[in-house]
Amino acid sequence: MTRRFPFPESPDVWPPDEYRELLAQPGLPEVLLSNGHRALLVTRYADVKAVLSDDRFSRAAFGGTPMFARTTESLALATSDPPVHTRRRAAVTSAFSARKARQLMPRLRELADQLIDGIGEPPVDLVESFTVPFALRASTELLGIPAADEPRLRPLVDAMMSTTRFTRDHVTAAHREAAAYFDELVATKQAHIAAGRPRPDLLTELLTAERLSHKEIAVFGAGLLMAGYETTSNQLAMCALMVFGDPDRADRLRLEPAGVEPAVEEMLRWSSLIATGGAPHVATEDARLGDTVVRAGQVVVPLTAAANRDATVFAEPECLRPDRADNPHVAFGHGRHHCLGAELARVELRVGLRALLDRFHELTVDAPVSEIPWRSGMFIRGPAVLPVSWTGACDEA
């Protein structure tokens, strides 16, 4: 009997147990996707990289009912192929360079300290008090979205990033409202440019460059908000769980500040962020993956979280080793669909985690890992609530 995919989510940071089983098996197992399509799962590291970089595997060709609430029309990059993808990505790549991300570090540190200053008395929910507002404000400031609009936009993003949590009507209404909001925001920024008062934000830069249409910029705005804040806030919550759920690990990182960078990379490799496993691709012509020939028209789903546990690439892949030196993980994807905001996400994760380590000397997770409630029915995984406490007052920034 053909198994259904995605597999049931694990109530923790690691991937489904089925990924480990598939890595030990030859070939590409067939599964039935949630939208009725049959697909081959790609788990091994070399094969996953091949799918993500080979032009013979197309995301745009995957049609039919979407597997989750985000529509092709609402995604500027994730479901497009060259030359459309190439043109759109080239227009924004410079804004997400490692240099630009480093330039944002002082503001991100300031933001993290401000949030910690107002965090209140323990116990608190670290998701609601820190990881979400930190990542959300970082995204809205980058895009030039007024902070006052965040309460309106957050529930829209929740609906558009769902898989099964919200009804079809709810999702459709959220897409409609978000599209109208960003259309109006882009028009307002264009008016500021025409009046000689351009704002210092990414959407204004895109308008000034005149490489994308106003509609494409509006779609980018909504997509970057979803991808930027939803992924980073949940990944930061998972990192916090992995660090502060182990007091010895937290103490080591406090004593060795330089260890945060490799630790973040290892937590990216070790955790599983995408609930749907990966983006379906269609083979546009016959292509070989390992010992299997994928025929033209067949659908494949590359599983980056499985590839990150491939023992032919990572020594002791099931072990979380914060000091892992050689770590070519594919948590941010690979090839033309490598995450546009990867460098910014890295900086946000390092800054956010470093701020928590520096300001709280004895921050601990208040519940056993098995009792932490997890988000369900959503495209992105993460703790729904992360209860933490600490002893004594936190340090001043």
Side-chain angles (χ1 to χ4, degrees):
M1 181 178 178
T2 303
R3 287 192 284 187
R4 292 183 175 276
F5 186 83
F7 300 129
E9 299 176 35
S10 62
D12 204 337
V13 299
W14 53 70
D17 291 339
E18 288 88 347
Y19 287 15
R20 186 186 302 110
E21 299 170 15
L22 295 178
L23 278 165
Q25 298 175 7
L28 306 177
E30 185 178 67
V31 293
L32 185 65
L33 301 181
S34 59
N35 65 352
H37 283 273
R38 291 184 179 271
L40 304 177
L41 294 185
V42 184
T43 59
R44 282 174 280 279
Y45 184 86
D47 295 341
V48 166
K49 289 184 70 174
V51 171
L52 295 174
S53 59
D54 193 326
D55 288 342
R56 292 176 296 176
F57 294 99
S58 166
R59 289 192 181 184
F62 182 73
T65 305
M67 291 177 63
F68 51 96
R70 293 193 297 173
T71 65
T72 298
E73 295 76 20
S74 70
L75 298 167
L77 295 176
T79 58
S80 63
D81 292 331
V84 172
H85 178 276
T86 306
R87 177 180 61 81
R88 290 175 176 173
R89 185 166 179 123
V92 296
T93 295
S94 62
F96 291 93
S97 66
R99 180 179 62 83
K100 285 290 184 70
R102 288 192 297 270
Q103 290 174 349
L104 292 173
M105 288 183 71
R107 172 53 188 155
L108 291 172
R109 292 192 186 106
E110 179 184 35
L111 175 58
D113 285 331
Q114 288 173 350
L115 289 169
I116 291 174
D117 287 342
I119 209 165
E121 296 298 320
V124 300
D125 172 16
L126 201 63
V127 170
E128 197 64 30
S129 63
F130 186 75
T131 67
V132 166
F134 178 67
L136 180 56
R137 184 59 54 85
S139 293
T140 56
E141 288 188 356
L142 176 69
L143 295 168
I145 296 171
D149 292 346
E150 290 175 358
R152 174 187 175 187
L153 293 171
R154 185 177 170 188
L156 299 181
V157 172
D158 284 346
M160 292 187 292
M161 292 292 281
S162 72
T163 52
T164 59
R165 176 176 293 184
F166 297 98
T167 66
R168 184 185 300 274
D169 288 346
H170 191 145
V171 169
T172 299
H175 275 291
R176 187 183 304 116
E177 185 175 346
Y181 174 87
F182 279 95
D183 283 343
E184 183 178 350
L185 181 66
V186 169
T188 299
K189 293 185 180 301
Q190 183 62 62
H192 289 153
I193 294 171
R197 301 191 305 273
R199 301 297 195 258
D201 59 63
L202 177 57
L203 296 184
T204 298
E205 289 180 23
L206 295 177
L207 284 165
T208 304
E210 298 183 336
R211 299 177 65 182
L212 299 172
S213 69
H214 285 204
K215 185 63 178 178
E216 286 177 316
I217 294 172
V219 170
F220 252 119
L224 291 172
L225 177 64
M226 287 191 289
Y229 123 70
E230 260 281 288
T231 55
T232 307
S233 65
N234 283 286
Q235 185 66 63
L236 180 55
M238 287 200 283
C239 287
L241 176 59
M242 286 181 270
V243 170
F244 298 108
D246 183 338
D248 291 339
R249 184 175 295 148
D251 286 342
R252 286 194 297 272
L253 290 177
R254 287 190 185 96
L255 292 172
E256 301 177 14
V260 168
E261 184 171 335
V264 164
E265 295 302 315
E266 175 68 348
M267 288 185 283
L268 285 164
R269 180 196 72 82
W270 201 71
S271 58
S272 178
L273 185 67
I274 303 175
T276 58
H281 293 63
V282 178
T284 57
E285 59 183 87
D286 291 357
R288 180 177 292 277
L289 291 176
D291 296 329
T292 302
V293 175
V294 179
R295 299 300 179 187
Q298 283 190 294
V299 178
V300 297
V301 180
L303 307 180
T304 55
N308 284 336
R309 301 295 182 98
D310 190 332
T312 66
V313 179
F314 303 98
E316 298 181 300
E318 297 299 323
C319 294
L320 177 62
R321 291 167 40 183
D323 60 349
R324 189 182 295 270
D326 184 18
N327 198 346
H329 67 76
V330 287
F332 288 117
H334 177 70
R336 62 178 177 269
H337 287 294
H338 182 267
C339 176
L340 179 67
E343 295 305 319
L344 178 57
R346 284 186 163 103
V347 168
E348 289 184 39
L349 293 172
R350 295 168 192 164
V351 168
L353 196 58
R354 184 78 262 164
L356 292 170
L357 287 164
D358 289 345
R359 299 289 301 277
F360 298 104
H361 288 221
E362 296 182 6
L363 185 72
T364 57
V365 178
D366 277 350
V369 170
S370 60
E371 296 179 10
I372 299 293
W374 281 72
R375 289 154 50 99
S376 61
M378 299 294 287
F379 176 63
I380 297 296
R381 301 180 65 245
V385 177
L386 186 57
V388 298
S389 291
W390 60 91
T391 57
C394 70
D395 289 347
E396 293 185 1

